[in-house]
Amino acid sequence: MVEVKFELRSAGYCEAKESQALRGRPNNPMKFYATYAHIEHPVHGHILFDTGYTRRFYEGTQELPLKIYANVTKVFITEEEEAKNALQESGIDPAAIKYIIVSHFHADHIGGLKDFPNAQFICSKEGFEDVIGKTGFSALRRGFVPNLLPDDFSERAHFVSFDRATKKVYGLGNVIDFFGDDSLIICRLNGHVKGQIGLLLQAEKRILLISDAAWLTENYKDLHLPSPMVRLFFHSWRAYKESLYRVHAYHKRNPETEIIPCHCEQTFRRITGKT
């Protein structure tokens, strides 16, 4: 098993309410941080899992119907917070990023794809096919902002299909060992959107990045579901619950694994030490 270096970062956030993330809770305001991961593989170099927001979100949502997206989802991102600039500030050239694993195609996950000219993209085939070519209300229903996708995305993409899964992991089902060295294991976490993927990796400890399979730790630990209202924006509520239960089962079997929901402020602050 190959060990990688891992760092959790964030590029902006959007406003949300506690009642949306946890059914029955009060309408307390929350920040949903747009987290992404910087991974350094000893052979394959610098890799990102998602990219967070960029200011291109504002450009891509200026006109209807995508303006509805911006009005419903209040996004806050500065130039300094964008992944490209934050990584550069840490001495990492954006041109050195070799791979970007795209969990799914919402704006808070693909906002920075255009900033990494040499990166190859790893994503679900079914997830990509669900958004490609979509515009207007069809894009809005999928939370997809077309101007965030590089024009040559298809030419630079590795499409994973779980029909060709290489192994099984308890709770996560069929998975794909992308490099064949157990360093980056891609799992299917459908429901929030069609074809969402997560990533199991070995750093100083075992880490499972679950993207939007759960928004907060309470979702997967306690099986505390979000508000039923949010199911209107999900691809499949049934598939979402199935994925959540599988993450819960994995957690029960592997309590030492650090499971990271992409928007959990408590988890983000604990791991990064940011206050």
Side-chain angles (χ1 to χ4, degrees):
M1 181 180 295
V2 172
E3 185 174 308
V4 300
K5 295 179 181 178
F6 171 84
E7 182 183 17
L8 187 65
R9 293 171 170 261
S10 73
Y13 67 91
C14 69
E15 292 181 337
K17 295 184 184 299
E18 185 180 355
S19 58
Q20 295 169 330
L22 297 167
R23 182 177 185 174
R25 291 287 182 85
N27 289 325
N28 296 329
M30 300 181 67
K31 290 181 180 178
F32 268 24
Y33 281 94
T35 61
Y36 64 98
H38 171 229
I39 300 161
E40 188 173 355
H41 190 284
V43 175
H44 299 285
H46 295 285
I47 299 164
L48 299 182
F49 181 83
D50 290 336
T51 65
Y53 285 115
T54 62
R55 290 166 296 158
R56 291 190 195 92
F57 176 82
Y58 304 134
E59 299 168 12
T61 56
Q62 286 182 351
E63 298 181 2
L64 290 171
L66 287 174
K67 189 173 183 178
I68 298 170
Y69 190 170
N71 289 338
V72 172
T73 306
K74 298 295 185 182
V75 171
F76 300 86
I77 174 72
T78 66
E79 182 178 3
E80 294 75 22
E81 291 172 325
E82 292 180 1
K84 175 189 70 172
N85 298 323
L87 289 167
Q88 208 159 29
E89 183 68 21
S90 299
I92 301 163
D93 186 345
I97 302 298
K98 292 187 176 181
Y99 294 94
I100 299 176
I101 301 167
V102 181
S103 68
H104 62 291
F105 291 88
H106 283 172
D108 51 330
H109 299 265
I110 66 168
L113 294 186
K114 288 184 174 180
D115 294 326
F116 301 97
N118 297 327
Q120 298 177 56
F121 305 118
I122 304 169
C123 68
S124 157
K125 184 178 180 181
E126 64 176 333
F128 176 73
E129 290 178 345
D130 190 53
V131 301
I132 190 62
K134 301 297 189 298
T135 59
F137 281 102
S138 185
L140 177 64
R141 286 195 297 271
R142 290 165 173 80
F144 175 58
V145 180
N147 83 311
L148 299 180
L149 205 65
D151 293 336
D152 61 349
F153 185 94
S154 296
E155 289 72 32
R156 294 161 61 188
H158 298 267
F159 297 113
V160 298
S161 173
F162 291 91
D163 294 336
R164 302 175 184 174
T166 55
K167 62 197 298 184
K168 279 193 172 185
V169 172
Y170 177 83
L172 303 181
N174 292 331
V175 299
I176 296 170
D177 182 356
F178 189 75
F179 291 129
D181 59 7
D182 277 339
S183 62
L184 301 180
I185 295 174
I186 298 170
C187 58
R188 189 169 186 258
L189 295 171
N190 221 3
H192 174 69
V193 298
K194 190 173 184 178
Q196 178 177 252
I197 59 176
L199 184 67
L200 183 65
L201 58 94
Q202 182 64 47
E204 290 184 357
K205 63 188 300 187
R206 203 70 162 154
I207 294 170
L208 176 59
L209 299 165
I210 61 172
S211 190
D212 283 303
W215 285 331
L216 306 177
T217 298
E218 294 97 318
N219 293 135
Y220 77 82
K221 276 192 174 181
D222 305 330
L223 292 179
H224 192 154
L225 291 171
S227 164
M229 185 181 72
V230 304
R231 72 174 67 188
L232 298 172
F233 308 102
F234 284 14
H235 167 68
S236 168
W237 185 247
R238 178 178 178 179
Y240 169 81
K241 291 194 292 183
E242 288 174 352
S243 293
L244 187 66
Y245 296 154
R246 289 194 290 109
V247 172
H248 175 78
Y250 177 87
H251 166 66
K252 294 301 251 185
R253 176 71 70 89
N254 303 277
E256 74 287 351
T257 297
E258 181 76 70
I259 297 179
I260 303 177
C262 64
H263 295 308
C264 185
E265 181 177 359
Q266 182 181 7
T267 301
F268 174 71
R269 292 190 183 282
R270 175 174 53 78
I271 291 174
T272 63
K274 294 184 178 180
T275 57

